[in-house]
Amino acid sequence: MLVHLALALRASMEEKRERQDAAARAAKEKGGGQASSSHDTTMTENASIMYDGLIQAI
């Protein structure tokens, strides 16, 4: 069960990272602007820490 949760979390993190990358590219094409906030970065870092903890628990 933990394996499935860890895989789902990893997929979710990868999808979010892809959305952030796409937003950053779109913002760059429009001439700048901040593509993601520090809140997004913090959430991604927190999810990464949770994922690492799940992998170690398995």
Side-chain angles (χ1 to χ4, degrees), residues 1 4 7 9 17 24 28 33-36 40-41 43 54:
M1 172 132 171
H4 296 293
L7 291 173
L9 179 58
R17 191 170 295 128
K28 188 175 180 180
Q34 187 175 3
S36 64
D40 289 338
T41 302
M43 293 295 289
L54 282 172

Side-chain angles (χ1 to χ4, degrees), residues 10-46:
R10 180 178 179 180
S12 177
M13 288 172 44
E14 289 174 355
E15 290 170 0
K16 181 173 180 155
R17 191 170 295 128
E18 288 172 9
R19 287 191 301 271
Q20 289 174 337
D21 290 346
R25 284 190 301 274
K28 188 175 180 180
E29 290 175 2
K30 289 184 178 182
Q34 187 175 3
S36 64
S37 69
S38 61
H39 177 73
D40 289 338
T41 302
T42 302
M43 293 295 289
T44 302
E45 290 170 354
N46 289 343

